[in-house]
Amino acid sequence: MAAEGFRALNENTLVEYIKATPSLCSQLGNLENLQIKEVGDGNLNFVYIVTTSSGSLVIKQALPYIRCIGESWPMSKERAYFEAITLQKHGSWCPNHVPEVYHFDRVMSLIGMRYLAPPHIILRKGLIAGIEYPLLAEHMAEYMSRTLFHTSLLYNTTTVHRQEVAKYCGNLELCRLTEQVVFSDPYKESEYNRYTSPYLDNDALAVREDDELKLEVAELKAKFCEQAQALIHGDLHTGSVMATHDSTQIIDPEFAVYGPMGFDIGAFLGNLILAYFSQDGHADAANDRKAYKQWILKTVEDTWKLFEKKFTSLWVENKYGFGEAYLSAIYTDTVFSRAQEKFMKALFHDSLGFGAAKMIRRIVGVAHVEDFESIQDASVRAVCERQALDFAKKLLKERRGFQSISEVVLAIKKVPS
């Protein structure tokens, strides 16, 4: 637990905090023209942009409750600690796509980090606006392959791995939140569930009454709770990525834990697919969004293919390294190739399953996505959401039948508009 002494800062008290913190002052330079703007639109925290004439940074402070719900849902401030150390760990392996941490105050649950200046915007907002990001698939594949590989037993000894797993076991509250909102609430009556009513009332009921779906979700929940494959971001949706045409930065890893690799991959792919199904709701006379929908699907396909290529290349490069999952003394070249093939096939199907579960929870669970929520006409929104929900259910139940990402994309294209 963090020590006593926490206090929630505002624009005024943050000024005094910054002046008393050398690591922040050094990034800002002259403090005479210091300006602070609160920009937190997330579910959990306060986020401030701090600028001067000679520097800038972002301050993020965790609250002892879920911001979007209030004090009725308490939440440990220690999530800031796990976010800070994950930014540092992931940043060490993928510095081009993770913002640098300048300062961390565990008592205050406060992180000071690099400000991602405009034209960086939240990727989800860019997808709603119909912006194409030519390097997105390449960058996300780079981030996921490097962070997942280098924090797994494919790269590390069992001793190092167990030590790291033990460290992250402390992030149990956010793990339990994930377990609840992703794997439990959408499949039962819950006071927190919401959906586009009355249009999706029967669809939400169908989810709660689908026994086959529940069995598949139970299997995924067990994997999430039991499988400590790698240090995952834990909430890698399109709202946790900031992008420009040539830059992609991953933020907000406060849900980080050692878990199944497919949870991160699936979260990102699933959110791209949600963006795809939302596009008809954003179409207008000037832009029917059809070309943009095809770009999204190409990005889905390219992301997995590039991830698979980069991940397996790292594995081959480090075949004779410290990783103890597949010892070179045991696994000859032929067996090694078979092991890789089996591993990647399982990871692909895991990613599809977790991606589908993340899609379902964003439609009939507690926290929705702006992709759909920004569609003003509820009847139009519901049509888009139903298409996504029906596909997600199919993907979750039939994921093992897909042998390639191209087959998944083809199945999406076949969904009636």
Short mmCIF file of all heavy atoms in Angstrom, two decimals, residues 101-137:
data_model
loop_
_atom_site.label_atom_id
_atom_site.label_comp_id
_atom_site.label_asym_id
_atom_site.label_seq_id
_atom_site.Cartn_x
_atom_site.Cartn_y
_atom_site.Cartn_z
N VAL A 101 9.10 8.28 -18.94
CA VAL A 101 8.68 8.70 -17.59
C VAL A 101 9.76 9.58 -16.99
O VAL A 101 10.92 9.17 -16.89
CB VAL A 101 8.42 7.47 -16.69
CG1 VAL A 101 8.14 7.91 -15.25
CG2 VAL A 101 7.26 6.65 -17.21
N TYR A 102 9.38 10.79 -16.58
CA TYR A 102 10.33 11.71 -15.97
C TYR A 102 10.33 11.61 -14.44
O TYR A 102 11.35 11.86 -13.79
CB TYR A 102 9.99 13.16 -16.34
CG TYR A 102 9.96 13.46 -17.80
CD1 TYR A 102 8.94 14.25 -18.35
CD2 TYR A 102 10.95 12.98 -18.67
CE1 TYR A 102 8.92 14.56 -19.70
CE2 TYR A 102 10.92 13.28 -20.02
CZ TYR A 102 9.90 14.07 -20.53
OH TYR A 102 9.87 14.36 -21.87
N HIS A 103 9.17 11.27 -13.87
CA HIS A 103 9.02 11.36 -12.42
C HIS A 103 7.88 10.44 -11.98
O HIS A 103 6.85 10.35 -12.65
CB HIS A 103 8.69 12.81 -12.03
CG HIS A 103 8.30 12.99 -10.60
ND1 HIS A 103 9.22 12.97 -9.56
CD2 HIS A 103 7.08 13.19 -10.01
CE1 HIS A 103 8.59 13.16 -8.41
NE2 HIS A 103 7.29 13.30 -8.65
N PHE A 104 8.09 9.76 -10.84
CA PHE A 104 7.00 8.99 -10.25
C PHE A 104 7.00 9.18 -8.75
O PHE A 104 8.04 9.05 -8.09
CB PHE A 104 7.11 7.50 -10.57
CG PHE A 104 6.07 6.68 -9.87
CD1 PHE A 104 4.72 6.91 -10.09
CD2 PHE A 104 6.44 5.69 -8.96
CE1 PHE A 104 3.75 6.19 -9.42
CE2 PHE A 104 5.47 4.95 -8.29
CZ PHE A 104 4.13 5.20 -8.51
N ASP A 105 5.86 9.51 -8.20
CA ASP A 105 5.67 9.71 -6.77
C ASP A 105 4.64 8.69 -6.30
O ASP A 105 3.45 8.83 -6.56
CB ASP A 105 5.16 11.14 -6.52
CG ASP A 105 5.02 11.46 -5.03
OD1 ASP A 105 4.81 10.53 -4.22
OD2 ASP A 105 5.09 12.66 -4.69
N ARG A 106 5.13 7.66 -5.61
CA ARG A 106 4.23 6.56 -5.23
C ARG A 106 3.21 7.00 -4.18
O ARG A 106 2.06 6.56 -4.22
CB ARG A 106 5.06 5.37 -4.73
CG ARG A 106 4.24 4.09 -4.59
CD ARG A 106 5.13 2.89 -4.41
NE ARG A 106 4.37 1.65 -4.38
CZ ARG A 106 4.92 0.44 -4.30
NH1 ARG A 106 6.24 0.32 -4.24
NH2 ARG A 106 4.16 -0.65 -4.29
N VAL A 107 3.63 7.84 -3.25
CA VAL A 107 2.70 8.32 -2.22
C VAL A 107 1.55 9.11 -2.84
O VAL A 107 0.38 8.94 -2.48
CB VAL A 107 3.44 9.18 -1.17
CG1 VAL A 107 2.45 9.84 -0.21
CG2 VAL A 107 4.43 8.34 -0.39
N MET A 108 1.88 9.95 -3.81
CA MET A 108 0.88 10.79 -4.46
C MET A 108 0.22 10.10 -5.65
O MET A 108 -0.67 10.67 -6.29
CB MET A 108 1.52 12.10 -4.92
CG MET A 108 1.94 13.02 -3.77
SD MET A 108 0.50 13.72 -2.94
CE MET A 108 -0.02 14.91 -4.18
N SER A 109 0.66 8.89 -5.96
CA SER A 109 0.12 8.14 -7.11
C SER A 109 0.18 9.00 -8.37
O SER A 109 -0.80 9.09 -9.13
CB SER A 109 -1.32 7.70 -6.83
OG SER A 109 -1.39 6.92 -5.67
N LEU A 110 1.34 9.61 -8.60
CA LEU A 110 1.48 10.61 -9.64
C LEU A 110 2.65 10.29 -10.57
O LEU A 110 3.74 9.95 -10.11
CB LEU A 110 1.68 11.98 -8.99
CG LEU A 110 1.81 13.20 -9.88
CD1 LEU A 110 1.20 14.43 -9.19
CD2 LEU A 110 3.29 13.48 -10.21
N ILE A 111 2.39 10.40 -11.86
CA ILE A 111 3.41 10.15 -12.88
C ILE A 111 3.59 11.41 -13.71
O ILE A 111 2.62 12.02 -14.15
CB ILE A 111 3.00 9.00 -13.82
CG1 ILE A 111 2.63 7.74 -13.04
CG2 ILE A 111 4.13 8.70 -14.81
CD1 ILE A 111 2.01 6.65 -13.89
N GLY A 112 4.85 11.80 -13.92
CA GLY A 112 5.18 12.87 -14.87
C GLY A 112 5.84 12.24 -16.07
O GLY A 112 6.81 11.49 -15.92
N MET A 113 5.34 12.50 -17.26
CA MET A 113 5.87 11.84 -18.45
C MET A 113 5.87 12.77 -19.65
O MET A 113 5.32 13.88 -19.60
CB MET A 113 5.07 10.57 -18.76
CG MET A 113 3.64 10.83 -19.21
SD MET A 113 2.65 9.31 -19.32
CE MET A 113 1.99 9.27 -17.66
N ARG A 114 6.44 12.30 -20.73
CA ARG A 114 6.54 13.10 -21.95
C ARG A 114 5.17 13.47 -22.50
O ARG A 114 4.27 12.63 -22.57
CB ARG A 114 7.34 12.34 -23.03
CG ARG A 114 7.50 13.11 -24.33
CD ARG A 114 8.64 12.53 -25.16
NE ARG A 114 8.36 11.18 -25.63
CZ ARG A 114 7.81 10.90 -26.82
NH1 ARG A 114 7.49 11.87 -27.64
NH2 ARG A 114 7.63 9.65 -27.19
N TYR A 115 5.02 14.71 -22.87
CA TYR A 115 3.79 15.19 -23.47
C TYR A 115 3.81 14.88 -24.96
O TYR A 115 4.75 15.24 -25.67
CB TYR A 115 3.64 16.70 -23.25
CG TYR A 115 2.52 17.35 -24.01
CD1 TYR A 115 1.25 16.78 -24.07
CD2 TYR A 115 2.73 18.57 -24.67
CE1 TYR A 115 0.22 17.39 -24.76
CE2 TYR A 115 1.70 19.20 -25.36
CZ TYR A 115 0.45 18.60 -25.40
OH TYR A 115 -0.57 19.22 -26.10
N LEU A 116 2.80 14.19 -25.42
CA LEU A 116 2.68 13.86 -26.84
C LEU A 116 1.90 14.99 -27.52
O LEU A 116 0.67 14.99 -27.56
CB LEU A 116 1.97 12.51 -27.01
CG LEU A 116 2.67 11.35 -26.29
CD1 LEU A 116 1.82 10.10 -26.36
CD2 LEU A 116 4.05 11.10 -26.88
N ALA A 117 2.65 15.94 -28.03
CA ALA A 117 2.06 17.18 -28.53
C ALA A 117 1.29 16.96 -29.82
O ALA A 117 1.53 15.98 -30.55
CB ALA A 117 3.16 18.21 -28.76
N PRO A 118 0.35 17.84 -30.13
CA PRO A 118 -0.32 17.79 -31.43
C PRO A 118 0.71 17.80 -32.54
O PRO A 118 1.77 18.41 -32.39
CB PRO A 118 -1.17 19.07 -31.44
CG PRO A 118 -1.40 19.37 -29.99
CD PRO A 118 -0.14 18.94 -29.30
N PRO A 119 0.44 17.09 -33.65
CA PRO A 119 -0.85 16.53 -34.04
C PRO A 119 -1.21 15.17 -33.44
O PRO A 119 -2.14 14.54 -33.93
CB PRO A 119 -0.72 16.44 -35.56
CG PRO A 119 0.74 16.16 -35.79
CD PRO A 119 1.46 16.96 -34.73
N HIS A 120 -0.49 14.68 -32.41
CA HIS A 120 -0.91 13.44 -31.75
C HIS A 120 -2.35 13.58 -31.25
O HIS A 120 -2.68 14.58 -30.59
CB HIS A 120 -0.01 13.12 -30.55
CG HIS A 120 1.31 12.53 -30.91
ND1 HIS A 120 2.45 13.29 -31.00
CD2 HIS A 120 1.67 11.25 -31.19
CE1 HIS A 120 3.47 12.51 -31.32
NE2 HIS A 120 3.03 11.28 -31.46
N ILE A 121 -3.16 12.61 -31.57
CA ILE A 121 -4.49 12.53 -30.98
C ILE A 121 -4.76 11.08 -30.58
O ILE A 121 -4.08 10.17 -31.05
CB ILE A 121 -5.61 13.01 -31.94
CG1 ILE A 121 -5.66 12.16 -33.21
CG2 ILE A 121 -5.48 14.47 -32.26
CD1 ILE A 121 -6.90 12.43 -34.06
N ILE A 122 -5.75 10.90 -29.72
CA ILE A 122 -6.15 9.54 -29.36
C ILE A 122 -6.57 8.80 -30.63
O ILE A 122 -7.38 9.32 -31.42
CB ILE A 122 -7.31 9.57 -28.35
CG1 ILE A 122 -6.84 10.18 -27.02
CG2 ILE A 122 -7.88 8.19 -28.13
CD1 ILE A 122 -5.82 9.35 -26.27
N LEU A 123 -6.05 7.64 -30.85
CA LEU A 123 -6.31 6.88 -32.07
C LEU A 123 -7.81 6.69 -32.29
O LEU A 123 -8.29 6.81 -33.42
CB LEU A 123 -5.60 5.53 -32.02
CG LEU A 123 -5.89 4.57 -33.18
CD1 LEU A 123 -5.48 5.18 -34.52
CD2 LEU A 123 -5.17 3.24 -32.96
N ARG A 124 -8.55 6.41 -31.23
CA ARG A 124 -9.99 6.19 -31.40
C ARG A 124 -10.66 7.41 -32.05
O ARG A 124 -11.52 7.26 -32.91
CB ARG A 124 -10.65 5.89 -30.05
CG ARG A 124 -12.08 5.39 -30.21
CD ARG A 124 -12.78 5.17 -28.88
NE ARG A 124 -12.12 4.28 -27.95
CZ ARG A 124 -12.09 2.96 -28.06
NH1 ARG A 124 -12.66 2.36 -29.10
NH2 ARG A 124 -11.50 2.22 -27.13
N LYS A 125 -10.26 8.61 -31.63
CA LYS A 125 -10.83 9.82 -32.22
C LYS A 125 -10.43 9.95 -33.69
O LYS A 125 -11.22 10.42 -34.52
CB LYS A 125 -10.38 11.04 -31.43
CG LYS A 125 -10.94 11.09 -30.01
CD LYS A 125 -10.53 12.35 -29.27
CE LYS A 125 -11.07 12.38 -27.85
NZ LYS A 125 -12.54 12.39 -27.78
N GLY A 126 -9.22 9.53 -34.00
CA GLY A 126 -8.78 9.56 -35.40
C GLY A 126 -9.58 8.59 -36.25
O GLY A 126 -9.93 8.90 -37.40
N LEU A 127 -9.89 7.43 -35.71
CA LEU A 127 -10.68 6.44 -36.44
C LEU A 127 -12.11 6.94 -36.66
O LEU A 127 -12.71 6.69 -37.70
CB LEU A 127 -10.68 5.11 -35.69
CG LEU A 127 -9.33 4.41 -35.55
CD1 LEU A 127 -9.43 3.21 -34.63
CD2 LEU A 127 -8.79 3.99 -36.91
N ILE A 128 -12.65 7.63 -35.69
CA ILE A 128 -13.98 8.21 -35.83
C ILE A 128 -13.98 9.28 -36.92
O ILE A 128 -14.92 9.41 -37.70
CB ILE A 128 -14.46 8.81 -34.49
CG1 ILE A 128 -14.68 7.68 -33.46
CG2 ILE A 128 -15.75 9.62 -34.66
CD1 ILE A 128 -14.89 8.18 -32.04
N ALA A 129 -12.89 10.04 -36.97
CA ALA A 129 -12.77 11.12 -37.96
C ALA A 129 -12.43 10.60 -39.35
O ALA A 129 -12.46 11.36 -40.32
CB ALA A 129 -11.70 12.12 -37.51
N GLY A 130 -12.09 9.31 -39.47
CA GLY A 130 -11.77 8.75 -40.77
C GLY A 130 -10.37 9.01 -41.24
O GLY A 130 -10.09 9.06 -42.45
N ILE A 131 -9.43 9.16 -40.31
CA ILE A 131 -8.03 9.43 -40.64
C ILE A 131 -7.29 8.11 -40.86
O ILE A 131 -7.39 7.18 -40.05
CB ILE A 131 -7.35 10.24 -39.53
CG1 ILE A 131 -8.07 11.57 -39.31
CG2 ILE A 131 -5.87 10.46 -39.85
CD1 ILE A 131 -7.58 12.32 -38.08
N GLU A 132 -6.52 8.03 -41.92
CA GLU A 132 -5.70 6.84 -42.17
C GLU A 132 -4.31 7.05 -41.57
O GLU A 132 -3.74 8.14 -41.66
CB GLU A 132 -5.59 6.56 -43.67
CG GLU A 132 -6.91 6.13 -44.30
CD GLU A 132 -6.75 5.67 -45.74
OE1 GLU A 132 -5.58 5.48 -46.18
OE2 GLU A 132 -7.77 5.54 -46.44
N TYR A 133 -3.79 5.99 -40.96
CA TYR A 133 -2.46 6.01 -40.35
C TYR A 133 -1.61 4.94 -41.03
O TYR A 133 -1.70 3.76 -40.68
CB TYR A 133 -2.57 5.76 -38.85
CG TYR A 133 -3.34 6.83 -38.11
CD1 TYR A 133 -4.71 6.70 -37.87
CD2 TYR A 133 -2.72 7.99 -37.69
CE1 TYR A 133 -5.42 7.69 -37.21
CE2 TYR A 133 -3.41 9.00 -37.03
CZ TYR A 133 -4.77 8.83 -36.80
OH TYR A 133 -5.46 9.83 -36.16
N PRO A 134 -0.79 5.33 -41.99
CA PRO A 134 -0.08 4.35 -42.82
C PRO A 134 0.91 3.47 -42.07
O PRO A 134 1.21 2.37 -42.53
CB PRO A 134 0.64 5.22 -43.86
CG PRO A 134 0.70 6.59 -43.25
CD PRO A 134 -0.53 6.72 -42.43
N LEU A 135 1.39 3.94 -40.90
CA LEU A 135 2.38 3.15 -40.16
C LEU A 135 1.80 2.48 -38.92
O LEU A 135 2.53 1.88 -38.14
CB LEU A 135 3.55 4.05 -39.74
CG LEU A 135 4.35 4.68 -40.90
CD1 LEU A 135 5.43 5.60 -40.36
CD2 LEU A 135 4.96 3.60 -41.77
N LEU A 136 0.49 2.57 -38.73
CA LEU A 136 -0.11 2.06 -37.51
C LEU A 136 0.13 0.56 -37.32
O LEU A 136 0.55 0.12 -36.24
CB LEU A 136 -1.62 2.35 -37.51
CG LEU A 136 -2.40 1.85 -36.29
CD1 LEU A 136 -1.91 2.54 -35.00
CD2 LEU A 136 -3.91 2.09 -36.48
N ALA A 137 -0.13 -0.23 -38.32
CA ALA A 137 0.05 -1.68 -38.20
C ALA A 137 1.50 -2.03 -37.89
O ALA A 137 1.79 -2.87 -37.02
CB ALA A 137 -0.41 -2.38 -39.48
#
